[in-house]
Amino acid sequence: KARGEKISVLTAYDYPFARIMDQAGIDVVLVGDSAGSVVAGYETTLPVTMEEMIYHTRAVARGVEQALVVAAMPFMSYQVSRAEARLNAGRLVKEGGAQAVKLEGGENMAETIRSIVAIDIPVVGHIGLTPQSVHRMGGYRVQGREEAQAEQLLADAAAVADAGACALVLEGIPAALAARITAAAPIPTIGIGAGGDCDG
């Protein structure tokens, strides 16, 4: 980030796609809990289990030699307690072969991030449109269009970075706000669009 270099990130759920991405020189392969919707046909990511994430992560890890493998922590694998969060993050590394984990949330998850980082597991944060909060958000809606929301997302980004996250996913955030967060954050940001509205 200090040199202004772009980091390529793509999502994979299985061995063949992970192998293709790795051989193409992708820097980071994310094993998303979006596998629930994309692979299993669930309406949301909420039903995805730890066992499913470990399975997909293990398949991806076998196909990767160079890229960083980041596994998403599924719903309720890190929200109940910091002890459970540490255990489940450890399972994704030990059983799944991930080199880092991703979890959703900002200020509300800062201490959980700090707790996982404290046991030497790198964490990627995720703010903005957080699919595990689909019911609270009333659907998959762009976040941060109102000033109060924008200020909260800036605070969330700062909290996640301060907690020790190594990178930050910005999903479904207006491009101007994503640029503000990217400029302010001391860690790399990964932009995921919502209707082409985010280029963080």
Side-chain angles (χ1 to χ4, degrees):
K1 176 167 180 169
R3 293 190 301 270
E5 297 175 8
K6 300 288 185 182
I7 298 170
S8 57
V9 182
L10 287 177
T11 299
Y13 311 109
D14 57 26
Y15 172 87
F17 273 94
R19 188 169 171 80
I20 290 166
M21 291 174 188
D22 192 58
Q23 290 178 350
I26 298 301
D27 297 311
V28 180
V29 177
L30 171 65
V31 187
D33 58 347
S34 51
S37 303
V38 176
V39 177
Y42 299 138
E43 288 187 17
T44 70
T45 63
L46 301 179
V48 176
T49 66
M50 274 297 298
E51 285 66 32
E52 289 169 322
M53 286 307 303
I54 290 168
Y55 168 83
H56 287 290
T57 304
R58 189 181 294 139
V60 167
R62 284 194 293 262
V64 168
E65 293 180 6
Q66 303 297 322
L68 178 74
V69 176
V70 179
M73 298 189 70
F75 181 61
M76 296 307 290
S77 69
Y78 60 94
Q79 293 96 333
V80 175
S81 71
R82 287 195 280 277
E84 271 195 51
R86 288 160 64 118
L87 175 64
N88 287 320
R91 289 189 68 200
L92 285 169
V93 172
K94 183 180 178 73
E95 299 172 45
Q99 295 154 318
V101 299
K102 180 189 75 68
L103 58 84
E104 298 178 11
E107 287 183 320
N108 62 326
M109 285 295 145
E111 290 309 313
T112 300
I113 293 168
R114 195 180 314 279
S115 178
I116 295 170
V117 170
I119 58 169
D120 295 328
I121 297 175
V123 175
V124 174
H126 182 160
I127 64 170
L129 193 169
T130 48
Q132 292 176 13
S133 303
V134 61
H135 297 311
R136 176 184 56 79
M137 294 183 300
Y140 299 104
R141 304 173 188 273
V142 173
Q143 303 294 302
R145 286 192 169 138
E146 298 173 7
E147 188 56 33
Q149 272 191 341
E151 291 303 320
Q152 182 59 58
L153 288 171
L154 285 161
D156 286 338
V160 166
D162 184 63
C166 62
L168 179 61
V169 171
L170 307 176
E171 181 172 358
I173 295 175
L177 176 58
R180 285 175 65 192
I181 293 170
T182 298
I187 56 177
T189 58
I190 302 159
I192 301 175
D197 206 31
C198 178
D199 63 1

